[in-house]
Every structure is written in C-alpha cells, then in structure tokens.
Amino acid sequence: MGKIIETQISVRYAETDQGGIVYNANYLIWFEVARGEFFWQQGLDYGKEVEGRGLFWPVTEAGLRYVAAAHYGEMVTVRAWVDECKSRSITIRYEVSRDGQTLCTGFTKHLNVDRSGRVVAIPQDLRDLMLG
Amino acid sequence: MGKIIETQISVRYAETDQGGIVYNANYLIWFEVARGEFFWQQGLDYGKEVEGRGLFWPVTEAGLRYVAAAHYGEMVTVRAWVDECKSRSITIRYEVSRDGQTLCTGFTKHLNVDRSGRVVAIPQDLRDLMLG
Amino acid sequence: MGKIIETQISVRYAETDQGGIVYNANYLIWFEVARGEFFWQQGLDYGKEVEGRGLFWPVTEAGLRYVAAAHYGEMVTVRAWVDECKSRSITIRYEVSRDGQTLCTGFTKHLNVDRSGRVVAIPQDLRDLMLG
Amino acid sequence: MGKIIETQISVRYAETDQGGIVYNANYLIWFEVARGEFFWQQGLDYGKEVEGRGLFWPVTEAGLRYVAAAHYGEMVTVRAWVDECKSRSITIRYEVSRDGQTLCTGFTKHLNVDRSGRVVAIPQDLRDLMLG
C-alpha cells in the first residue's frame, strides 16, 4: 500500500435523501473527488495528462460497504490509496470516515482505454506518478 | 405559443432530500428531460442534429417558481413549449404538475453557439423543427 | 431466482459526464429506480409500507461491474430480482442492458432497520411480497 | 446589502456533462452550499436551528444567469448575501466566479414554513442572525 491521500468533504443538503441520510450513490461521487485529489497530490492532473492525451480511466468495477450514515453539515474525510497498479488497470481503495469512525469503505477499478475504447498499457510516467 | 409536449416522470428516491420533498435543483433536470422530449417529438435529435453538427444550446438563463412540493413515487407531468425563437436564441417554458395541480413553472433560455463558443444563427431547419 | 422485473430508463443529459458517457454513480440511482419498480410490481409501496411503518432498508453493500457505456438519449433496460432474502436482510441483483447488450451488472444488499437504527426482522408480509 | 460570504468549491467530475462543462442544475446546488456556509458563518446552523425547531426554508423562487462555463478541476468562488429579509421570506443572491471572472449570478427566495407547510413569521433571533 502506497501513499494515502486525505480529502475533506462537507456534506451538502443536496446529498441527503428523505431517509435523512446521505444517499448511497453519492459515496461513488466522493470516491471520485478523493481520487482526483489523490491524482493531483501525486502530481497528476487527470483532465490534462490523462484525458488530454486521449486516454480515459473509466470505472470498470466498484464495490462499497456502508457501515454508518453521514448527515447534512458533517465534515467527512475520504482516504484514498492505490491498491493495485497493473499494466493496463489500476485499483483505488477508499475509506470515508467522520471523527475517526468509518462510514464507508470501497474500491474502484479502472481500465486505461484510448479514444477508440481499446484497452492499452498505462504510460510509464503515469504509472510512476500513481505509485510514487 | 406553439405545440405543447407532455413528459411523464416518476419521482426517484434519489431526487428527494431530508426535508422529505424533491430537492429544488432536480426541477432543472426535469426541465431538460422535457426539453429533450420536446425536441424529439418535434423531430429533432439534439445529440445528433445539434451537437452532432458542432452546435450547442447551453442554458444562458433560467427561472423557476416552486408552488408545491413533489414527493417520492409520485408521477409528475412536465409540459414544455417554445416561448420564443429568435435568430440566435430560444426560450422554452415548462410547467410541472401532478394530477392537475401545478408544482413548478419556469423557463430556460438557450443561445446557439458553435464549438468555439461563438454565438451564431440557429440553422433554419432547426428553427423550423422548433416552431413546427 | 424469483421474478424478474424490467424497468425502462431514458438516459438524461444530466447523467452524462465530460467523457461523453453516463457517469458511474448514476447506475446506483438506476438500480434504485429498478428496485422501487420491483417492489411496486410485487405489490409493495416502499414509501408507505416500509418507511410508513417506521422501517428503512438502507443499502449496506453494493457492487457494480461496468461492461459497456450508456449514452445520452439511449433507452436502457434494468432488470431486477431478489437474490437472497434472509430474516433481516435482502439482496437484489440488477442487470442494465441496451438492445440486449449488457452494460452493467450489480447488486445491493439491504438491512431492515427501525427508526433507532437497530437491525430487526423483516415483517413476514413484506418477505412474502419480496419472494412472491 | 449586508455581509458577503465567500465559499470555495472545487468542480467535481460528476458535475460535468457531455458538453464538457458543468451541467446547469449544479449551480443551484452550489448556491445551496454557499447559502449553508453563509448561514453557518452568520452563526446559524440550518439543520439544528431551523429544521431542528420544525421550520423549513424551501426555495419558492430561483433565477440564474449563466455567463461563462465552469470546468472540471477548476476552483470557483461563490459569494452569497442577503438581498431582502421580510417577515416571512428571505431572498439570497449569489455570484459564482473563477479568478475574478463572473460565471453565473442568481438568487433564491425562501419562505419560512412550519411542519404543516403553513407560512409563518421568521423567528426574530433567526432574522437577526441573517441580517447581522
């Protein structure tokens, strides 16, 4: 397990549902926010350096375990780290917590595809940034 | 006022908030769904015939009046019609209702821009479809 | 595997992202739409008969495999069925497809909790509806 | 015009659409984030002090002018201030900008309603906080 990057997220009213808690799909969005921050702090600007050279890292698999609920106004922390970086795929893991209590854990797996949708090898410089 | 197109939308759980009602921003999404259906029923495939030829109709202005709340599981009707179609802009009006009761009214104004973001005249065939 | 319920969903512009495809988190929302329709067609009004008697079925686990992308304007079909119904939990499986091509498969697991958040047995009449 | 509160928002990938820009409805969500921050910085915890005493401030009217587009990864600033605070309603104004360039301006009007949906006077202490 490499470097862990933490992102703070303030829960939005729009993210709640009528059950009074954060709607389940929003955790995938939080994962993405944390992933973007992870990339950024590793020196990788996803928009410019991945999509900008005609590559995309679509999510090909995701898993989530919801342990406890988040609520409007709370500040949650999302930790993200690289779980696995193969030649053509990368798996990121996440943990959402509030004041040290785990709310949700999960992962997303990404394939490296080009504009035509073909799965290709992740450029070495991007792999280095991921694992750095 | 030209043709009015009606679209049925079943309220999603994800669209509610902790107040127990549909979150306000979702009405703009419903407007877009009704707008797409309006275009479609007028014979215009927005994705193919507008964006497909390098044009975009971004929203440049929007207004909403929220009269009564919508709730999870309800079936709402969104009526959409062209309010104004100028050479380079189009204004669509909307009314969201449930069982004849108005829930929300509003409008969106769109400019016709090309890939470079320049405002250009709406092609005559698209204008004809809008007003047809 | 019990009854399979199919729900048609027309892809919204709002559901796309700058990659030109449907954003990954929206599949969890589509799962929820299909789940609600599954409940409804089994004779269960989730809002009234579950939340209405002080019970909630929060998602405690979810998994998704993204096989192919969905795009704006496409009509997708979401099939939902009960995979497992234990005394206090229920697992629903989903398959999103377009014209017979699988786009995404997944599941959500739900615990039956009361207002205080305590996990309790699913009332027999609700279990019967799920498995009916 | 009273105090102006600024909120920084980092644009999420999920907030973009296939046009490559932030989807229009998300600005209403950003308005809400800025409104919550405004309340918070004025000493008002909306969840606790408004909803907590059985009051709700639903949006009854909203208007937006989209001037320029926001993109993934950009940091935008949302300024919020009270435009008008009557006995039973409050109007908040917003300006979204990036590096000093205005992207969107708008307002939301809110009525003060109780649990039964009846419009009632805003408690004086809340009015004082709004105007403070």
Side-chain angles (χ1 to χ4, degrees):
Chain A
M1 192 169 85
K3 203 187 287 183
I4 296 176
I5 299 297
E6 294 196 350
T7 304
Q8 306 295 320
I9 293 176
S10 180
V11 180
R12 301 173 173 186
Y13 198 90
E15 293 170 332
T16 63
D17 63 28
Q18 70 176 44
I21 60 176
V22 169
Y23 184 72
N24 64 82
N26 290 310
Y27 289 85
L28 277 179
I29 296 177
W30 292 355
F31 285 3
E32 174 255 302
V33 172
R35 188 165 63 244
E37 184 64 25
F38 178 87
F39 290 163
W40 186 259
Q41 293 204 20
Q42 295 291 88
L44 173 67
D45 181 331
Y46 177 78
K48 289 210 173 63
E49 291 170 81
V50 178
E51 295 197 351
R53 67 168 101 172
L55 298 174
F56 297 88
W57 291 356
V59 178
T60 56
E61 206 177 323
L64 308 97
R65 285 180 180 275
Y66 302 88
V67 181
H71 306 86
Y72 170 58
E74 292 177 348
M75 183 65 73
V76 299
T77 301
V78 189
R79 301 163 82 228
W81 65 94
V82 171
D83 185 54
E84 195 175 57
C85 189
K86 295 190 174 175
S87 68
R88 304 188 297 180
S89 72
I90 183 168
T91 301
I92 316 271
R93 290 209 161 265
Y94 312 88
E95 187 205 39
V96 181
S97 63
R98 181 194 55 228
D99 300 331
Q101 184 195 11
T102 300
L103 304 181
C104 180
T105 60
F107 74 93
T108 55
K109 185 176 174 181
H110 305 259
L111 279 178
N112 180 56
V113 301
D114 62 19
R115 276 193 214 285
S116 66
R118 207 161 43 101
V119 182
V120 293
I122 301 174
Q124 189 60 39
D125 61 319
L126 299 186
R127 282 174 56 82
D128 289 346
L129 287 174
M130 284 306 92
L131 298 167
Chain B
M1 191 171 85
K3 203 186 286 183
I4 298 175
I5 299 297
E6 294 196 350
T7 304
Q8 307 295 321
I9 293 177
S10 180
V11 180
R12 301 173 174 185
Y13 198 90
E15 292 170 334
T16 62
D17 63 27
Q18 71 178 44
I21 61 175
V22 169
Y23 184 72
N24 65 81
N26 290 309
Y27 289 85
L28 277 180
I29 296 178
W30 292 355
F31 285 2
E32 175 255 302
V33 172
R35 187 164 65 244
E37 184 64 23
F38 178 87
F39 290 164
W40 185 258
Q41 291 203 22
Q42 295 291 89
L44 173 67
D45 181 331
Y46 177 79
K48 291 208 171 65
E49 292 170 81
V50 178
E51 295 197 353
R53 66 169 101 172
L55 299 174
F56 296 89
W57 290 357
V59 178
T60 55
E61 204 178 326
L64 307 98
R65 284 179 180 275
Y66 301 88
V67 182
H71 307 87
Y72 170 57
E74 293 177 347
M75 182 66 72
V76 299
T77 300
V78 189
R79 300 163 83 228
W81 63 95
V82 171
D83 186 52
E84 195 176 57
C85 188
K86 295 190 175 174
S87 68
R88 303 188 299 180
S89 72
I90 183 169
T91 302
I92 316 269
R93 290 209 161 264
Y94 312 89
E95 186 207 38
V96 181
S97 64
R98 181 194 55 228
D99 300 332
Q101 185 195 8
T102 299
L103 304 181
C104 180
T105 60
F107 74 91
T108 56
K109 185 177 174 180
H110 305 259
L111 281 177
N112 180 57
V113 301
D114 62 17
R115 277 193 214 286
S116 66
R118 207 162 43 103
V119 181
V120 294
I122 301 174
Q124 190 59 40
D125 60 320
L126 299 186
R127 283 175 54 82
D128 290 344
L129 287 174
M130 284 307 91
L131 298 168
Chain C
M1 191 169 86
K3 204 187 286 185
I4 297 175
I5 299 298
E6 293 196 352
T7 304
Q8 306 295 319
I9 292 176
S10 181
V11 180
R12 301 174 174 185
Y13 198 90
E15 292 170 334
T16 62
D17 63 28
Q18 71 176 44
I21 60 176
V22 169
Y23 184 71
N24 65 82
N26 290 310
Y27 289 85
L28 277 179
I29 296 178
W30 292 355
F31 285 3
E32 174 254 303
V33 172
R35 187 165 65 245
E37 185 64 23
F38 177 87
F39 290 163
W40 186 258
Q41 292 204 20
Q42 296 290 89
L44 174 67
D45 181 330
Y46 178 78
K48 290 208 173 65
E49 291 169 81
V50 178
E51 295 196 353
R53 66 168 102 171
L55 298 174
F56 296 88
W57 291 356
V59 178
T60 56
E61 204 177 324
L64 307 98
R65 283 180 180 274
Y66 301 87
V67 181
H71 307 86
Y72 170 57
E74 293 177 349
M75 182 65 74
V76 299
T77 301
V78 189
R79 300 162 82 228
W81 64 93
V82 171
D83 185 53
E84 195 176 56
C85 188
K86 294 189 175 176
S87 67
R88 304 189 297 180
S89 73
I90 183 169
T91 302
I92 315 270
R93 290 208 160 264
Y94 313 87
E95 186 206 39
V96 181
S97 63
R98 181 193 56 228
D99 300 332
Q101 185 195 8
T102 300
L103 304 181
C104 180
T105 60
F107 74 92
T108 55
K109 186 178 174 180
H110 305 259
L111 281 178
N112 180 56
V113 301
D114 62 17
R115 278 193 214 284
S116 68
R118 207 163 43 104
V119 182
V120 293
I122 301 174
Q124 189 61 40
D125 61 318
L126 299 185
R127 283 174 54 82
D128 290 346
L129 287 174
M130 284 306 92
L131 298 167
Chain D
M1 191 170 84
K3 203 186 288 184
I4 297 175
I5 300 297
E6 293 196 352
T7 304
Q8 307 295 320
I9 292 177
S10 179
V11 180
R12 300 174 174 186
Y13 197 90
E15 292 170 334
T16 63
D17 63 28
Q18 70 175 44
I21 60 176
V22 169
Y23 184 71
N24 65 82
N26 290 310
Y27 290 84
L28 277 180
I29 296 178
W30 292 354
F31 285 3
E32 175 254 303
V33 172
R35 186 164 66 243
E37 185 63 23
F38 177 87
F39 290 163
W40 186 258
Q41 292 205 20
Q42 295 291 89
L44 173 66
D45 181 332
Y46 177 79
K48 289 209 174 64
E49 291 169 82
V50 179
E51 295 197 352
R53 66 168 102 171
L55 297 174
F56 296 88
W57 291 356
V59 178
T60 56
E61 205 177 324
L64 308 97
R65 284 181 180 274
Y66 301 89
V67 182
H71 306 86
Y72 170 57
E74 292 176 350
M75 183 66 72
V76 299
T77 300
V78 189
R79 301 164 82 229
W81 64 94
V82 171
D83 185 54
E84 194 176 57
C85 188
K86 296 190 173 174
S87 68
R88 303 188 297 180
S89 72
I90 183 168
T91 301
I92 316 271
R93 291 209 162 264
Y94 313 88
E95 186 206 39
V96 181
S97 64
R98 181 195 54 227
D99 300 332
Q101 184 195 9
T102 299
L103 304 181
C104 181
T105 60
F107 74 93
T108 56
K109 185 177 174 181
H110 304 259
L111 281 178
N112 180 56
V113 301
D114 62 17
R115 277 192 214 286
S116 67
R118 209 162 42 104
V119 181
V120 293
I122 301 174
Q124 190 60 40
D125 60 320
L126 300 186
R127 283 174 56 83
D128 290 345
L129 287 174
M130 284 307 91
L131 298 168

PDB file of all heavy atoms in Angstrom, chain A residues 51, chain C residues 13-24 26, chain D residues 13-20:
ATOM      1  N   GLU A  51      -6.907  12.532 -19.900  1.00  0.00           N
ATOM      2  CA  GLU A  51      -7.841  12.836 -20.989  1.00  0.00           C
ATOM      3  C   GLU A  51      -7.176  13.730 -22.045  1.00  0.00           C
ATOM      4  O   GLU A  51      -7.489  13.630 -23.222  1.00  0.00           O
ATOM      5  CB  GLU A  51      -9.112  13.492 -20.435  1.00  0.00           C
ATOM      6  CG  GLU A  51      -9.902  12.545 -19.536  1.00  0.00           C
ATOM      7  CD  GLU A  51     -11.338  12.985 -19.288  1.00  0.00           C
ATOM      8  OE1 GLU A  51     -11.707  14.112 -19.658  1.00  0.00           O
ATOM      9  OE2 GLU A  51     -12.104  12.189 -18.708  1.00  0.00           O
TER      10      GLU A  51
ATOM     11  N   TYR C  13     -29.528  13.846 -20.174  1.00  0.00           N
ATOM     12  CA  TYR C  13     -28.309  14.611 -20.453  1.00  0.00           C
ATOM     13  C   TYR C  13     -27.535  14.848 -19.147  1.00  0.00           C
ATOM     14  O   TYR C  13     -26.309  14.751 -19.116  1.00  0.00           O
ATOM     15  CB  TYR C  13     -28.677  15.950 -21.086  1.00  0.00           C
ATOM     16  CG  TYR C  13     -27.536  16.625 -21.798  1.00  0.00           C
ATOM     17  CD1 TYR C  13     -27.292  16.379 -23.145  1.00  0.00           C
ATOM     18  CD2 TYR C  13     -26.697  17.508 -21.136  1.00  0.00           C
ATOM     19  CE1 TYR C  13     -26.231  16.988 -23.807  1.00  0.00           C
ATOM     20  CE2 TYR C  13     -25.638  18.117 -21.787  1.00  0.00           C
ATOM     21  CZ  TYR C  13     -25.406  17.864 -23.124  1.00  0.00           C
ATOM     22  OH  TYR C  13     -24.360  18.457 -23.763  1.00  0.00           O
ATOM     23  N   ALA C  14     -28.270  15.118 -18.090  1.00  0.00           N
ATOM     24  CA  ALA C  14     -27.659  15.378 -16.786  1.00  0.00           C
ATOM     25  C   ALA C  14     -26.862  14.187 -16.272  1.00  0.00           C
ATOM     26  O   ALA C  14     -26.018  14.338 -15.388  1.00  0.00           O
ATOM     27  CB  ALA C  14     -28.727  15.745 -15.762  1.00  0.00           C
ATOM     28  N   GLU C  15     -27.145  13.006 -16.803  1.00  0.00           N
ATOM     29  CA  GLU C  15     -26.464  11.802 -16.316  1.00  0.00           C
ATOM     30  C   GLU C  15     -25.135  11.542 -17.026  1.00  0.00           C
ATOM     31  O   GLU C  15     -24.391  10.656 -16.635  1.00  0.00           O
ATOM     32  CB  GLU C  15     -27.409  10.598 -16.466  1.00  0.00           C
ATOM     33  CG  GLU C  15     -28.602  10.706 -15.512  1.00  0.00           C
ATOM     34  CD  GLU C  15     -29.701   9.695 -15.754  1.00  0.00           C
ATOM     35  OE1 GLU C  15     -29.863   9.202 -16.892  1.00  0.00           O
ATOM     36  OE2 GLU C  15     -30.436   9.393 -14.791  1.00  0.00           O
ATOM     37  N   THR C  16     -24.856  12.329 -18.057  1.00  0.00           N
ATOM     38  CA  THR C  16     -23.584  12.152 -18.755  1.00  0.00           C
ATOM     39  C   THR C  16     -22.483  12.965 -18.069  1.00  0.00           C
ATOM     40  O   THR C  16     -22.765  13.847 -17.264  1.00  0.00           O
ATOM     41  CB  THR C  16     -23.680  12.651 -20.215  1.00  0.00           C
ATOM     42  OG1 THR C  16     -23.965  14.059 -20.213  1.00  0.00           O
ATOM     43  CG2 THR C  16     -24.779  11.925 -20.968  1.00  0.00           C
ATOM     44  N   ASP C  17     -21.228  12.644 -18.400  1.00  0.00           N
ATOM     45  CA  ASP C  17     -20.114  13.442 -17.908  1.00  0.00           C
ATOM     46  C   ASP C  17     -19.250  13.855 -19.093  1.00  0.00           C
ATOM     47  O   ASP C  17     -19.575  13.547 -20.239  1.00  0.00           O
ATOM     48  CB  ASP C  17     -19.306  12.672 -16.851  1.00  0.00           C
ATOM     49  CG  ASP C  17     -18.660  11.408 -17.422  1.00  0.00           C
ATOM     50  OD1 ASP C  17     -18.358  11.351 -18.636  1.00  0.00           O
ATOM     51  OD2 ASP C  17     -18.451  10.470 -16.646  1.00  0.00           O
ATOM     52  N   GLN C  18     -18.175  14.565 -18.830  1.00  0.00           N
ATOM     53  CA  GLN C  18     -17.376  15.102 -19.931  1.00  0.00           C
ATOM     54  C   GLN C  18     -16.669  14.018 -20.738  1.00  0.00           C
ATOM     55  O   GLN C  18     -16.126  14.299 -21.804  1.00  0.00           O
ATOM     56  CB  GLN C  18     -16.372  16.127 -19.404  1.00  0.00           C
ATOM     57  CG  GLN C  18     -15.236  15.547 -18.594  1.00  0.00           C
ATOM     58  CD  GLN C  18     -14.236  16.624 -18.199  1.00  0.00           C
ATOM     59  OE1 GLN C  18     -14.615  17.710 -17.772  1.00  0.00           O
ATOM     60  NE2 GLN C  18     -12.950  16.337 -18.313  1.00  0.00           N
ATOM     61  N   GLY C  19     -16.694  12.775 -20.251  1.00  0.00           N
ATOM     62  CA  GLY C  19     -16.158  11.677 -21.031  1.00  0.00           C
ATOM     63  C   GLY C  19     -17.133  11.269 -22.143  1.00  0.00           C
ATOM     64  O   GLY C  19     -16.817  10.434 -22.983  1.00  0.00           O
ATOM     65  N   GLY C  20     -18.347  11.860 -22.100  1.00  0.00           N
ATOM     66  CA  GLY C  20     -19.328  11.583 -23.136  1.00  0.00           C
ATOM     67  C   GLY C  20     -20.201  10.369 -22.852  1.00  0.00           C
ATOM     68  O   GLY C  20     -21.002   9.952 -23.692  1.00  0.00           O
ATOM     69  N   ILE C  21     -20.044   9.801 -21.653  1.00  0.00           N
ATOM     70  CA  ILE C  21     -20.827   8.625 -21.277  1.00  0.00           C
ATOM     71  C   ILE C  21     -21.543   8.870 -19.947  1.00  0.00           C
ATOM     72  O   ILE C  21     -21.297   9.886 -19.289  1.00  0.00           O
ATOM     73  CB  ILE C  21     -19.929   7.380 -21.157  1.00  0.00           C
ATOM     74  CG1 ILE C  21     -18.850   7.598 -20.073  1.00  0.00           C
ATOM     75  CG2 ILE C  21     -19.264   7.075 -22.510  1.00  0.00           C
ATOM     76  CD1 ILE C  21     -17.978   6.376 -19.811  1.00  0.00           C
ATOM     77  N   VAL C  22     -22.399   7.951 -19.570  1.00  0.00           N
ATOM     78  CA  VAL C  22     -23.113   8.089 -18.296  1.00  0.00           C
ATOM     79  C   VAL C  22     -22.129   7.953 -17.142  1.00  0.00           C
ATOM     80  O   VAL C  22     -21.325   7.020 -17.098  1.00  0.00           O
ATOM     81  CB  VAL C  22     -24.219   7.025 -18.176  1.00  0.00           C
ATOM     82  CG1 VAL C  22     -24.773   6.980 -16.757  1.00  0.00           C
ATOM     83  CG2 VAL C  22     -25.328   7.324 -19.181  1.00  0.00           C
ATOM     84  N   TYR C  23     -22.184   8.893 -16.220  1.00  0.00           N
ATOM     85  CA  TYR C  23     -21.301   8.894 -15.054  1.00  0.00           C
ATOM     86  C   TYR C  23     -21.592   7.679 -14.173  1.00  0.00           C
ATOM     87  O   TYR C  23     -22.748   7.321 -13.951  1.00  0.00           O
ATOM     88  CB  TYR C  23     -21.507  10.191 -14.264  1.00  0.00           C
ATOM     89  CG  TYR C  23     -20.571  10.329 -13.097  1.00  0.00           C
ATOM     90  CD1 TYR C  23     -19.221  10.581 -13.308  1.00  0.00           C
ATOM     91  CD2 TYR C  23     -21.029  10.187 -11.798  1.00  0.00           C
ATOM     92  CE1 TYR C  23     -18.351  10.705 -12.236  1.00  0.00           C
ATOM     93  CE2 TYR C  23     -20.162  10.300 -10.722  1.00  0.00           C
ATOM     94  CZ  TYR C  23     -18.826  10.560 -10.954  1.00  0.00           C
ATOM     95  OH  TYR C  23     -17.963  10.662  -9.884  1.00  0.00           O
ATOM     96  N   ASN C  24     -20.532   7.082 -13.659  1.00  0.00           N
ATOM     97  CA  ASN C  24     -20.644   5.792 -12.953  1.00  0.00           C
ATOM     98  C   ASN C  24     -21.638   5.744 -11.789  1.00  0.00           C
ATOM     99  O   ASN C  24     -22.299   4.733 -11.583  1.00  0.00           O
ATOM    100  CB  ASN C  24     -19.262   5.318 -12.510  1.00  0.00           C
ATOM    101  CG  ASN C  24     -18.623   6.222 -11.469  1.00  0.00           C
ATOM    102  OD1 ASN C  24     -18.911   6.110 -10.286  1.00  0.00           O
ATOM    103  ND2 ASN C  24     -17.748   7.138 -11.893  1.00  0.00           N
ATOM    104  N   ASN C  26     -24.445   7.081 -11.439  1.00  0.00           N
ATOM    105  CA  ASN C  26     -25.847   7.056 -11.837  1.00  0.00           C
ATOM    106  C   ASN C  26     -26.418   5.649 -11.932  1.00  0.00           C
ATOM    107  O   ASN C  26     -27.634   5.457 -11.841  1.00  0.00           O
ATOM    108  CB  ASN C  26     -26.034   7.794 -13.164  1.00  0.00           C
ATOM    109  CG  ASN C  26     -25.845   9.284 -13.005  1.00  0.00           C
ATOM    110  OD1 ASN C  26     -26.438   9.893 -12.120  1.00  0.00           O
ATOM    111  ND2 ASN C  26     -25.001   9.891 -13.839  1.00  0.00           N
TER     112      ASN C  26
ATOM    113  N   TYR D  13     -15.837  16.053 -11.192  1.00  0.00           N
ATOM    114  CA  TYR D  13     -16.027  15.405 -12.500  1.00  0.00           C
ATOM    115  C   TYR D  13     -17.513  15.080 -12.690  1.00  0.00           C
ATOM    116  O   TYR D  13     -18.069  15.251 -13.776  1.00  0.00           O
ATOM    117  CB  TYR D  13     -15.197  14.129 -12.565  1.00  0.00           C
ATOM    118  CG  TYR D  13     -14.984  13.613 -13.969  1.00  0.00           C
ATOM    119  CD1 TYR D  13     -13.885  14.017 -14.718  1.00  0.00           C
ATOM    120  CD2 TYR D  13     -15.883  12.718 -14.548  1.00  0.00           C
ATOM    121  CE1 TYR D  13     -13.678  13.548 -16.007  1.00  0.00           C
ATOM    122  CE2 TYR D  13     -15.690  12.245 -15.834  1.00  0.00           C
ATOM    123  CZ  TYR D  13     -14.585  12.668 -16.568  1.00  0.00           C
ATOM    124  OH  TYR D  13     -14.397  12.203 -17.849  1.00  0.00           O
ATOM    125  N   ALA D  14     -18.148  14.640 -11.614  1.00  0.00           N
ATOM    126  CA  ALA D  14     -19.566  14.267 -11.670  1.00  0.00           C
ATOM    127  C   ALA D  14     -20.451  15.444 -12.049  1.00  0.00           C
ATOM    128  O   ALA D  14     -21.583  15.264 -12.483  1.00  0.00           O
ATOM    129  CB  ALA D  14     -20.017  13.710 -10.321  1.00  0.00           C
ATOM    130  N   GLU D  15     -19.941  16.649 -11.887  1.00  0.00           N
ATOM    131  CA  GLU D  15     -20.744  17.838 -12.165  1.00  0.00           C
ATOM    132  C   GLU D  15     -20.679  18.263 -13.630  1.00  0.00           C
ATOM    133  O   GLU D  15     -21.403  19.157 -14.044  1.00  0.00           O
ATOM    134  CB  GLU D  15     -20.305  18.982 -11.241  1.00  0.00           C
ATOM    135  CG  GLU D  15     -20.663  18.685  -9.780  1.00  0.00           C
ATOM    136  CD  GLU D  15     -20.056  19.640  -8.771  1.00  0.00           C
ATOM    137  OE1 GLU D  15     -18.992  20.231  -9.049  1.00  0.00           O
ATOM    138  OE2 GLU D  15     -20.639  19.780  -7.680  1.00  0.00           O
ATOM    139  N   THR D  16     -19.813  17.614 -14.401  1.00  0.00           N
ATOM    140  CA  THR D  16     -19.722  17.952 -15.823  1.00  0.00           C
ATOM    141  C   THR D  16     -20.747  17.150 -16.620  1.00  0.00           C
ATOM    142  O   THR D  16     -21.302  16.171 -16.129  1.00  0.00           O
ATOM    143  CB  THR D  16     -18.324  17.624 -16.378  1.00  0.00           C
ATOM    144  OG1 THR D  16     -18.095  16.200 -16.271  1.00  0.00           O
ATOM    145  CG2 THR D  16     -17.243  18.358 -15.616  1.00  0.00           C
ATOM    146  N   ASP D  17     -20.987  17.602 -17.847  1.00  0.00           N
ATOM    147  CA  ASP D  17     -21.847  16.835 -18.744  1.00  0.00           C
ATOM    148  C   ASP D  17     -21.103  16.617 -20.055  1.00  0.00           C
ATOM    149  O   ASP D  17     -19.950  17.024 -20.194  1.00  0.00           O
ATOM    150  CB  ASP D  17     -23.195  17.545 -18.966  1.00  0.00           C
ATOM    151  CG  ASP D  17     -23.037  18.900 -19.656  1.00  0.00           C
ATOM    152  OD1 ASP D  17     -22.078  19.108 -20.411  1.00  0.00           O
ATOM    153  OD2 ASP D  17     -23.895  19.773 -19.431  1.00  0.00           O
ATOM    154  N   GLN D  18     -21.742  15.968 -21.004  1.00  0.00           N
ATOM    155  CA  GLN D  18     -21.041  15.613 -22.231  1.00  0.00           C
ATOM    156  C   GLN D  18     -20.682  16.820 -23.092  1.00  0.00           C
ATOM    157  O   GLN D  18     -19.922  16.688 -24.053  1.00  0.00           O
ATOM    158  CB  GLN D  18     -21.859  14.606 -23.042  1.00  0.00           C
ATOM    159  CG  GLN D  18     -23.118  15.177 -23.663  1.00  0.00           C
ATOM    160  CD  GLN D  18     -23.811  14.140 -24.549  1.00  0.00           C
ATOM    161  OE1 GLN D  18     -23.934  12.983 -24.167  1.00  0.00           O
ATOM    162  NE2 GLN D  18     -24.265  14.541 -25.719  1.00  0.00           N
ATOM    163  N   GLY D  19     -21.180  17.990 -22.726  1.00  0.00           N
ATOM    164  CA  GLY D  19     -20.774  19.206 -23.409  1.00  0.00           C
ATOM    165  C   GLY D  19     -19.395  19.668 -22.928  1.00  0.00           C
ATOM    166  O   GLY D  19     -18.833  20.621 -23.460  1.00  0.00           O
ATOM    167  N   GLY D  20     -18.883  18.999 -21.887  1.00  0.00           N
ATOM    168  CA  GLY D  20     -17.552  19.315 -21.391  1.00  0.00           C
ATOM    169  C   GLY D  20     -17.539  20.413 -20.344  1.00  0.00           C
ATOM    170  O   GLY D  20     -16.474  20.872 -19.913  1.00  0.00           O
TER     171      GLY D  20
END
